[in-house]
Amino acid sequence: MNKNNAPILSVKNLTKVFKRHGQPDFIAVNDVSFDVMNGECLGIIGESGSGKTTVANMIARFIDATSGSITLFGEDITHAKGESLKNVWRKMQMVFQMPMESFDPRMKLGESIGESLVNSGMSAGDVKNEVTRLLSLVGLSAEFYPRYPHEVSGGQCQRAAIARAIAIRPAMLICDEATSALDVTVQSEVIALLRRLIHEMDMTCLFICHDIALVQHFCDSAIVMQHGKIVERGKPGDIVRNPQDDYTKMLIDSVL
Amino acid sequence: MATIETAEKSANGANEILTYESVDISYDGLKVVSDVSFALHEGECLGIVGESGSGKSTLIRAAMGLLGAGGLVTRGDIWYRGLDLPDVPRDEMRRINGEEIAMIFQDAGNALCPSRKIGDQLYESMLEHGNAERAEFTENISRLLERLRFDDTDRILGSYPFELSGGMRQRIGIASAMMMNPKILLADEPTSALDVVAQKDVVEEMKIIKDVYHTSIIIVTHNIGVARELSDTLLVMKDGHAVEYGPTNDVLTNPQSDYTKKLISSVIGLKR
């Protein structure tokens, strides 16, 4: 496969319908298609309830798609399960909005970060060394290895979550509102960290964010979602300066 | 650092309604706010910005007597109409809270009972502060909601909290704080849990409160954009200390302290 021309991730006509008891079906994601090319960082923008996270959850295979297809490195992963799903997660990892809640509260940060390495068959000694290296890569000292999630700040915890995501050197990183719960000063540090790691490790990124300013700052291209549909796509700078869709205009006007 | 005098000037000589004088606050003996002084004037909106753990929420909770079991104002005074709030007896505080000084939190929606309709809940909180006929209440609350530019007030009052969006619940929380027409509204991160569109709606609602009801407002936020949009004066907190205080425009365009400079430079703005 030619890495430069074929998309790393290809989403075609993806749809998610939630059945609701006694109420009409809810179409959370409606016929969404996009490609993410090698090394590209694609932003998905939209307000709460627009379907951004549902798209991410379908791609990460946390939930099943109702229809449509998801292709990663040319392989159809729409219905991946068992061993093939484990393979998907070796190539694709996720960073979530709430760092504390994304960790097992009873596991030390170092153990959580090293879990995927242990599962991949690395020896205990090597895991320890690698976790220490990963911690320093995200700007945390080795002192954080034995700490529990509740013993560190939100920003430190998110750095640890990034270390955990990159531990098995995935080719693709999905960030779902990864910096939304952080203070501005911490947010700008974490964004700088993500940018450096994506560049150094040659990762492709899907960056889900309701903050259009952040997407403009961070992403190469962007799509705007409303009510489960894509209403606009293009370079973030073009979208901000010359929005075509009324909803996008409203979104931009709302930024203070 | 700009002094209280500069801030007074910015408020066009209006009277001070809430004054913090050299306030220290400790939790279980650990000092979390240190020597903070500022004044809120009638009709003024004061923004308090800073990152998590800087003591900004603690500051306004102290005025409400909401520091919790371990928290104590260990030095200084918080003056409201001749009363030193930390020394006011509990019963008197219960009357002041809500009627004269109201507070809204980051997730006001969580403060609503999930199994009862909005209108019933708001009526109940009204009864806590005196008698009101249901018909009169409905008329008053409808007028308030209309002024705050809610569409379809009947539907909202007849809804359960889960039937409304997070942004709408937050706006209802703010409206309920305004039911008693308080002199001071303390807002603790009222937009932080919301997306940009809902955030804008909440900011617009707070503007109406300021312009139409002339309520004095303190808004605690880590969002510089929200502070810029709403506040006349700005107090920057860092590790429990006030590092800068002055008219919002001056602080944001010509920050004096290194921390304020860092805070402003961290904001990732939209390049239009």
Side-chain angles (χ1 to χ4, degrees), chain A residues 48 183 185 214 216 253 255, chain B residues 51-52 195 268 271-272:
Chain A
S48 310
D183 285 320
T185 45
L214 206 52
Q216 184 187 26
D253 287 342
V255 178
Chain B
E51 56 197 277
S52 310
D195 65 53
I268 295 167
K271 294 190 229 35
R272 292 175 204 254

Side-chain angles (χ1 to χ4, degrees), chain A residues 14 58 61 63-65 67-71 75-80:
Chain A
L14 197 62
M58 282 190 282
R61 293 289 296 118
I63 56 173
D64 283 321
S67 63
S69 72
I70 304 159
T71 314
E75 184 193 346
D76 186 348
I77 62 162
T78 320
H79 305 290

Side-chain angles (χ1 to χ4, degrees), chain B residues 24-25 29 40 49 71 76 114 119 146 178 189 194 225-226 232 250 262:
Chain B
D24 282 5
I25 302 169
L40 177 71
V49 295
E146 273 160 28
M178 287 306 295
E189 300 275 12
L194 307 175
V226 170
D232 307 303
D250 294 1
K262 183 184 168 204

Side-chain angles (χ1 to χ4, degrees), chain B residues 27-247:
Chain B
Y27 272 101
D28 298 322
L30 186 75
K31 203 193 269 188
V32 292
V33 168
S34 196
D35 194 19
V36 174
S37 301
F38 64 84
L40 177 71
H41 299 80
E42 281 174 9
E44 179 188 0
C45 178
L46 169 76
I48 304 182
V49 295
E51 56 197 277
S52 310
S54 62
K56 43 191 203 312
S57 297
T58 304
L59 260 185
I60 61 169
R61 280 170 177 268
M64 296 285 282
L66 289 179
L67 289 175
L72 207 61
V73 176
T74 47
R75 195 172 69 98
D77 304 300
I78 304 173
W79 294 104
Y80 168 72
R81 298 184 148 190
L83 296 171
D84 190 8
L85 290 176
D87 294 337
V88 170
R90 212 179 145 79
D91 284 356
E92 175 69 0
M93 220 42 221
R94 281 179 62 115
R95 192 193 60 78
I96 292 174
N97 285 357
E99 269 180 48
E100 300 192 28
I101 308 178
M103 187 156 174
I104 47 171
F105 301 91
Q106 181 166 349
D107 190 353
N110 266 348
L112 295 168
C113 172
S115 62
R116 292 169 59 224
K117 290 178 178 170
I118 303 278
D120 295 342
Q121 296 189 49
L122 295 186
Y123 181 53
E124 184 188 73
S125 63
M126 198 78 192
L127 287 179
E128 281 293 311
H129 290 276
N131 284 319
E133 290 297 321
R134 181 72 194 227
E136 188 191 339
F137 159 79
T138 307
E139 197 188 314
N140 288 341
I141 190 76
S142 300
R143 195 179 323 125
L144 174 69
L145 293 182
E146 273 160 28
R147 275 202 186 155
L148 296 175
R149 296 204 199 127
F150 280 84
D151 303 324
D152 208 358
T153 53
D154 290 345
R155 183 184 66 85
I156 290 167
L157 294 174
S159 295
Y160 292 98
F162 68 84
E163 293 177 305
L164 303 175
S165 68
M168 193 58 95
R169 281 202 296 269
Q170 186 69 348
R171 291 184 59 203
I172 288 290
I174 297 171
S176 76
M178 287 306 295
M179 279 193 313
M180 304 296 298
N181 200 4
K183 301 273 177 290
I184 301 173
L185 182 64
L186 305 175
D188 190 3
E189 300 275 12
T191 68
S192 305
L194 307 175
D195 65 53
V196 282
V197 180
Q199 171 175 288
K200 176 97 189 244
D201 290 341
V202 166
V203 166
E204 291 302 325
E205 183 176 8
M206 305 263 306
K207 275 187 182 165
I208 298 172
I209 290 171
K210 197 176 148 210
D211 296 343
V212 176
Y213 292 87
H214 307 295
T215 312
S216 308
I217 300 173
I218 298 183
I219 178 167
V220 165
T221 177
H222 67 257
N223 188 322
I224 305 280
V226 170
R228 178 190 290 125
E229 195 72 15
L230 271 175
S231 69
D232 307 303
T233 344
L234 203 58
L235 177 75
V236 183
M237 292 288 294
K238 162 83 174 149
D239 298 334
H241 295 267
V243 294
E244 196 146 352
Y245 178 45

